């Protein structure tokens, strides 16, 4: 009796064998074409969830397929290890970020290995290793030397209670409060480091050399936001210049007021004494909002008059200057001329505050009346109310006005971009240090290359407020100037983690190379990345930054040595980092309600420090409202030991849970913080949302191959979908059937197989080769797995016929296992060995598709009358058009509808096997 499929036994066996044999080691081999496959590296949060498996196992299947097709495949993995969660752990768990991070890496590395992936772990790169961030610092210095790095003032989110800057994810709720203490967040200006990504805006708009999804290209183009128009210089009544950018200089005569961003430097000087308090209050409120909130087109317009005026340079008109939050310093010049007749935002603002509207563009098909207009007219037409330009048509208006502005020296042609330079400074400890020192005499001084890396000190004390301990670490902070030797101070900001991930694909080439960020010999062979995969949420950050990095490296001469080792006909390595990109969807968590709790404690600012937490079984039993030192509501979020609890009216409170907090379930039994349930919607699976599915549990029950198979079968990879804990059973049955099919004794079937039956089996096998190969080529993994399931069903049926005794059947089993190998590598390897084939299935050639064998003997001809299907008949696959029409007319199902009449027309669509008879 054959043994049962036992993935818990066979999977560790083969993983150990593959690792011991170095089966997946990738080394330079000039005799084979190379394929650099890359999937985005994870952050070491501590535990893999099914979302990680979804992002890694399908690309692994495709990389395996490429290898079986004869490519020398590099498929590496590492960890994007710097970041804020490690510092949160340091503060909340009293554990050093380094200790926390490396313990998580060790745990996640082992979890990834249980997937059975073909990652070459010799090439692992960890961004928090000094041998890695030494070169992150090196890149900073190279960019600084070439004028691509600079320092200037920039606005950050700041908590006045914790006295620290906050990352986006640390600002909670519509009221934008600090996640730690609940204090309302303010904006603050700090000197910070930037990279000149705007210098490459036009290059980044060009995607001609890469095969990336159109929606990524659109997102990047929109993010860069190139606009052509004119800079025009207005002046305040006091003579200060107010430069604006407009894409419609032909509407200058329609400007009836100006609007400044709340952060504009001229707000203070323009504001009259009578308006000072109103303007100050408005500015304080506006600067606490995000740019998304401020530019929301559905939001009611707000603003305040400064009491000051500006002069329109084209007609000398004195127009009022307002402050409004819908104008941003980050776009244009932080000031606009408001033309309410021809811009909808300005129109809504003018109507609300009763400001004048003047039509200066008249369309050909209507007459616009400012008094009766219900919306702005942004279209083309002829200029009116514009002095000498009256009657100028739209197709030449912008150019003529721009030329006139230049002649009058009051404006000029300009190109504007929404893209802003990349702010890389982070007021954090756990990041790559910025290799700069500040000397009283020498100023800003870069650290010499031979002194890299600037190491993060281990003996730091973390403040409960979240302030960077680097600011208080005397040994780190105090140094000597590399130029003069006098005392100097180190830069205490660290670098944005996107800095590390912009070049990680290069470090994989030679993670221990000490003469540069990567070995030029390895780079000359493997680069550029041939196929990249990851989430589309990175379209305008990581995917933009890594493209910028590649181009900036070119201009710094960093590619020169590698380029010299390459052949002229090879793809360029100094223009684009990844030639092709595919974005997977997301695995979503199953929804659930959160616990309703009663928390009692003491308030610290806007945070309740909980003494007790009681879970209420029936929400109807809860008190009507929170009062005093009590908060009642549903748990909607948890980050570490902080709960966000929402009351029925939508108000949210932050609750801090301590080791001493007593937590009880509805029965009065003591439970732990981990036992509390948080509200989960059908949304992205992530640890921060508390909706992760732990793959370890599923793997322990079903095996890694089952989880891999389910993730590739249940969803279109680019779409994703909600995890279904019951849906995995179909894949369980598939693999168990395959196991029984291959390991079970062949039944005794009498008789000889017919040529037709043998040919039918071989036809199905080659049709499946085509289907599985196409799915792997196009990332349609679900159709590939579906094809394999259908082939399994065909073989189960053939097993009951004399075909089971033919070489065609054994060939079909072997071919099925070869096609399963990329998707379910362990069971394929085990069954390959059990059927007497040489080790390893993963080094075998991919089955060759033969279209002649796959060609069907017969097809089903679908026959319609006046577009409605009336019959289906089987006909030879190579039937001629004349014979197809004749058979259609002769079919019994059609005769009764035609009733002897002559059809008006017969339309034959050969490639779809369809005939339409018109009567």
């Amino acid at each position: 009796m054959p043994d049962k499929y036992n993935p818990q036994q066979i999977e560790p066996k083969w993983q150990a064998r593959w690792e011991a044999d170095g089966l997946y080691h990738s080394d330079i081999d000039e005799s084979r074409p190379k394929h650099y496959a890359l999937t985005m590296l994870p952050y070491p949060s501590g535990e893999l969830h099914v979302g990680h498996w979804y992002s890694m196992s399908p690309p692994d299947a495709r990389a395996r397929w490429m290898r079986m097709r004869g490519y020398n495949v590099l498929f590496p993995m590492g960890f994007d290890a710097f970041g804020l969660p490690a510092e949160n752990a340091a503060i909340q768990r009293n554990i050093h970020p380094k200790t926390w991070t490396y313990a998580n890496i060790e745990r996640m590395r082992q979890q990834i290995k249980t997937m059975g992936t073909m990652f070459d772990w010799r090439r692992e790169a960890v961004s928090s290793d000094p041998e890695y961030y030494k070169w992150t610092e090196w890149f900073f210095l190279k960019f600084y030397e070439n004028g691509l790095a600079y320092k200037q003032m920039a606005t950050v989110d700041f908590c006045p209670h914790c006295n620290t800057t906050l990352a986006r994810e640390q600002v909670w709720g519509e009221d934008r409060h600090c996640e730690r203490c609940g204090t309302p967040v303010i904006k603050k200006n700090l000197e910070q480091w930037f990279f000149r990504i705007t210098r490459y805006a036009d290059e980044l708009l060009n995607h001609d050399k890469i095969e990336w999804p159109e929606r990524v290209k659109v997102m990047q183009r929109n993010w860069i936001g190139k606009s052509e128009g004119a800079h025009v210089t207005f002046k305040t009544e006091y003579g200060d210049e107010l430069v604006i950018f407009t894409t419609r200089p032909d509407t200058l005569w329609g400007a009836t007021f100006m609007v400044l961003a709340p952060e504009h430097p001229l707000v203070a000087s323009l504001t009259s004494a009578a308006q000072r308090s109103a303007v100050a209050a408005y500015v304080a409120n506006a600067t606490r909002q995000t740019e998304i909130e401020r530019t929301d087109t559905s939001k009611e317009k707000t603003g305040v008059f400064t009491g000051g005026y500006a002069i329109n340079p084209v007609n000398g008109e004195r127009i009022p200057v307002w402050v409004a939050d819908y104008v941003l310093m980050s776009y244009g010049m932080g000031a606009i001329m408001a033309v309410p007749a021809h811009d909808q935002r300005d129109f809504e603002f003018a109507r609300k505050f009763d400001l004048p509207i003047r039509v200066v563009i008249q369309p050909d098909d209507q007459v616009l009346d400012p008094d009766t207009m219900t919306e702005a007219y942004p279209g083309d037409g002829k200029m009116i109310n514009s002095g000498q330009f009256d009657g100028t048509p739209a197709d030449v208006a912008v150019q003529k006005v721009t030329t006139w502005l230049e002649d009058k020296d009051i404006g000029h042609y300009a190109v504007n971009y929404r893209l802003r330079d990349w702010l890389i400074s982070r007021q954090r400890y756990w990041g790559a240090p910025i290799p700069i020192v500040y000397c009283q005499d020498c100023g800003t001084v870069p650290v010499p290359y031979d002194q890299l890396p600037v190491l993060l000190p281990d003996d730091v004390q973390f403040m409960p407020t979240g302030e960077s301990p680097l600011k208080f670490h005397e040994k780190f902070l105090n140094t000597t100037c590399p130029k003069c030797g006098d005392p100097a101070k180190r830069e205490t900001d660290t670098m944005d983690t996107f800095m590390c991930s912009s070049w990680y694909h290069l470090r994989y080439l030679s993670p221990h190379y000490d003469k540069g960020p990567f070995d030029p010999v390895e780079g000359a062979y493997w680069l550029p990345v041939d196929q990249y995969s990851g989430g589309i949420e990175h379209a305008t950050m990581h995917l933009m930054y890594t493209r910028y990095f590649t181009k900036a490296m070119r201009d710094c001469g960093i590619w020169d040595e590698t380029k010299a080792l390459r052949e002229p006909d090879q793809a360029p390595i100094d223009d684009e980092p990844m030639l092709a990109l595919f974005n997977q969807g997301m695995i979503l968590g199953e929804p659930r309600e959160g616990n309703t709790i009663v928390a009692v404690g003491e308030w610290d600012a806007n945070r309740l420090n909980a003494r007790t937490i009681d879970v209420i079984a029936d929400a109807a039993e809860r008190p009507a409202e929170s009062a005093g030192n009590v908060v009642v509501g549903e748990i909607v979020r948890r980050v570490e030991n902080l709960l966000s609890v929402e009351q029925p009216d939508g108000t949210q409170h932050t609750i801090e849970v301590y080791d001493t907090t007593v937590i009880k379930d509805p029965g009065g039994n003591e439970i732990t913080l981990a036992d509390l349930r948080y509200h989960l919607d059908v949304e992205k699976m992530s640890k921060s949302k508390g909706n992760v599915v732990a793959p370890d549990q599923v793997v322990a029950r079903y095996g890694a191959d089952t989880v891999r198979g389910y993730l590739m079968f249940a969803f279109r990879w680019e779409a994703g979908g909600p995890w279904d804990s019951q849906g995995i059973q179909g894949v369980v049955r598939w693999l168990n059937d395959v196991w029984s099919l291959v390991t079970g004794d062949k039944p005794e079937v009498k008789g000889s197989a017919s040529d037709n039956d043998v040919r039918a089996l071989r036809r199905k096998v080659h049709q499946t080769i085509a289907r599985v190969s196409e799915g792997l080529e196009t990332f349609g993994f679900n159709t590939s797995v579906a094809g394999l399931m259908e082939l399994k069903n065909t073989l189960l049926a053939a097993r009951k016929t004399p075909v089971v005794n033919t070489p065609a059947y054994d060939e079909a089993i072997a071919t099925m296992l070869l096609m399963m190998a990329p998707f379910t590598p362990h069971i394929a390897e085990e069954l390959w060995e059990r059927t007497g084939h040489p080790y390893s299935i993963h080094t075998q050639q991919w089955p060759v598709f033969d279209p002649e064998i796959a060609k069907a003997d017969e097809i089903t001809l679908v026959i319609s009358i006046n577009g409605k299907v009336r019959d289906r008949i089987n006909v030879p696959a190579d039937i001629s058009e004349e014979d197809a029409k004749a058979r259609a007319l002769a079919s019994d199902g059609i005769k009764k509808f035609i009733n002897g009449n002559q059809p008006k027309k017969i339309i034959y669509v050969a490639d779809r096997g369809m005939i339409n008879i018109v009567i």
Side-chain angles (χ1 to χ4, degrees), residues 446-752:
V447 173
Y449 289 103
D450 61 6
Q451 294 182 22
L452 299 182
V454 175
L455 291 170
L456 288 171
D458 289 335
D459 57 334
V460 291
Q461 296 295 319
F462 285 89
M463 308 287 287
T465 59
E467 291 178 89
S468 172
L470 294 179
K471 295 192 297 185
F472 310 104
H473 193 283
E474 294 295 326
K475 290 183 180 178
F476 178 84
L477 183 62
N478 296 309
T479 186
T480 56
C481 174
K483 280 188 176 180
C484 68
D486 286 349
K489 300 286 185 182
R490 288 198 188 277
E491 172 63 75
T492 58
D493 282 0
T494 54
M495 288 186 245
D496 180 9
T497 55
F498 282 117
M499 178 79 175
C500 305
S501 60
S502 292
W503 71 279
Y504 76 100
H505 60 291
L506 304 178
R507 195 60 181 170
Y508 283 151
L509 304 179
S510 43
H512 307 298
Y513 188 68
D514 62 0
K515 297 180 178 59
F518 62 95
D519 184 343
V521 175
E522 294 276 343
Y525 178 78
W526 290 111
L527 294 175
V529 173
D530 295 286
Q531 181 63 62
Y532 198 28
S533 61
I536 197 169
E537 67 270 20
H538 299 289
T540 55
M541 298 185 79
H542 163 62
L543 291 172
M544 186 88 80
Y545 295 149
T546 192
R547 295 182 65 214
Y548 158 73
F549 228 78
T550 303
K551 299 171 192 298
M553 287 172 63
R554 175 199 64 207
D555 293 345
C556 295
I558 298 171
W559 292 115
D560 292 354
E561 187 177 355
T562 307
K563 287 165 61 178
L565 299 172
R566 289 170 64 85
E567 298 297 327
D569 59 343
Q570 289 181 279
I573 60 173
D574 60 353
D575 192 19
E576 296 288 356
M578 297 96 181
L579 298 181
L581 170 70
F582 195 93
N583 298 121
Q584 83 271 5
M586 294 181 181
I587 291 293
L588 307 176
E590 293 180 293
R592 73 179 187 201
E593 295 299 315
N595 286 137
T596 298
I597 64 169
V598 177
V600 180
E602 291 77 37
W603 290 100
D604 179 5
N606 295 309
R607 180 187 67 223
L608 183 76
N609 298 328
R611 291 197 311 272
T612 64
I613 294 176
D614 291 295
V615 179
I616 301 173
D618 186 351
E621 297 176 2
R622 66 185 172 191
E625 59 183 20
S626 299
N629 292 338
V630 180
V631 170
V632 182
E634 181 189 6
I635 305 175
V636 294
R637 186 180 179 189
R638 189 194 103 183
V639 175
E640 300 294 342
N641 65 326
L642 297 176
L643 306 179
S644 187
V645 176
E646 184 173 294
Q647 297 178 193
D649 64 0
T651 304
Q652 290 191 11
H653 293 288
T654 299
I655 311 294
E656 183 156 8
V657 183
Y658 295 89
D659 292 339
T660 56
T661 304
V662 178
I663 309 173
K664 293 184 178 181
D665 68 14
N669 304 304
E670 284 202 24
I671 57 176
T672 67
L673 176 62
D675 296 318
L676 293 175
R677 249 192 356 257
Y678 324 110
H679 180 97
L680 300 177
D681 294 316
V682 176
E683 59 183 343
K684 178 183 177 182
M685 192 178 289
S686 70
K687 185 177 180 182
S688 65
K689 291 183 171 67
N691 62 350
V692 300
V693 172
D696 290 3
Q697 300 171 11
V698 188
V699 170
R701 183 175 181 184
Y702 299 116
D705 282 345
T706 300
V707 178
R708 288 171 61 109
Y710 171 69
L711 291 172
M712 286 184 263
F713 173 64
F715 316 96
R716 284 179 27 247
W717 197 51
E718 71 273 22
W723 174 265
D724 181 356
S725 51
Q726 300 303 313
I728 200 170
Q729 293 301 323
V731 178
V732 172
R733 289 190 295 272
W734 169 46
L735 295 184
N736 276 288
D737 284 350
V738 168
W739 183 268
S740 299
L741 187 67
V742 178
T743 63
D745 294 331
K746 287 184 179 181
E748 294 184 7
V749 180
K750 296 180 180 180
S752 299

Side-chain angles (χ1 to χ4, degrees), residues 138-362:
W138 183 89
F139 277 118
F140 176 93
L141 293 178
K142 287 293 182 182
F143 287 11
Y144 181 75
E145 285 177 5
N146 286 272
L148 295 175
Y150 66 95
K151 197 172 190 183
Q152 73 172 21
M153 298 296 288
T155 304
V156 296
D157 285 320
F158 189 85
C159 175
H161 182 264
C162 296
N163 193 37
T164 187
T165 58
L166 301 177
R168 294 176 188 176
E169 60 267 30
Q170 293 178 295
V171 180
W172 285 15
E174 293 185 3
D175 64 340
R176 289 178 48 75
H177 62 269
C178 171
E179 71 166 358
R180 289 197 181 97
C181 69
T183 302
V185 171
I186 64 173
K187 297 286 186 180
K188 187 173 183 178
N189 282 326
L190 292 179
E191 260 203 318
Q192 302 190 76
W193 285 96
F194 291 81
F195 281 164
R196 296 188 193 278
I197 192 172
T198 52
R199 183 176 292 182
Y200 295 82
D202 283 321
E203 277 196 75
L204 293 169
L205 283 168
N206 186 347
H207 299 88
D208 291 347
K209 297 177 182 177
I210 50 180
E211 296 180 20
W212 284 24
E214 185 58 30
R215 59 179 181 158
V216 173
K217 297 177 186 177
V218 170
M219 290 171 73
Q220 291 197 351
R221 286 194 291 264
N222 291 341
W223 187 262
I224 295 168
K226 181 177 181 178
S227 302
E228 295 184 76
H231 279 150
V232 185
T233 303
F234 287 66
K235 288 188 177 180
T236 70
E237 288 188 300
Y238 308 110
D240 295 319
E241 290 189 350
L242 247 180
V243 180
I244 61 100
F245 172 80
T246 177
T247 60
R248 294 293 301 272
D250 54 334
T251 64
L252 272 161
W253 286 261
T256 57
F257 59 98
M258 295 192 75
V259 184
L260 303 185
E263 304 87 352
H264 197 286
L266 288 181
V267 168
S269 62
L270 269 167
T271 302
S272 65
Q275 291 294 104
R276 190 158 291 130
S277 61
V279 170
Y282 184 85
V283 168
N285 181 66
T287 53
R288 291 192 60 243
Q289 301 175 54
T290 66
E291 288 193 3
I292 293 174
E293 292 167 336
R294 287 171 57 174
T295 56
D296 183 358
T297 56
S298 63
K299 173 187 166 188
E300 183 179 0
K301 297 296 177 288
T302 63
V304 62
F305 178 42
T306 64
Y309 291 83
I311 307 301
N312 187 334
V314 300
N315 56 14
E317 186 174 356
R318 182 173 179 262
I319 56 177
V321 180
W322 287 65
V323 174
D325 57 10
Y326 73 88
V327 179
L328 305 175
M329 282 301 298
S330 59
Y331 181 72
M333 312 298 290
I336 66 165
M337 61 166 196
V339 185
H342 306 291
D343 182 276
Q344 186 61 29
R345 293 179 311 167
D346 299 344
F347 181 87
E348 292 170 5
F349 194 91
R351 283 286 191 243
K352 179 172 181 178
F353 294 104
D354 197 25
L355 295 167
I357 297 174
R358 180 185 302 131
V359 174
V360 291
I361 302 294
Q362 195 70 259

Side-chain angles (χ1 to χ4, degrees), residues 798-818:
R799 188 177 173 82
K800 301 173 184 178
T801 73
V803 173
V804 74
N805 299 317
T806 66
Y809 180 86
D810 295 335
E811 176 190 304
I813 291 290
T815 304
M816 178 183 70
L817 294 178
L818 287 168

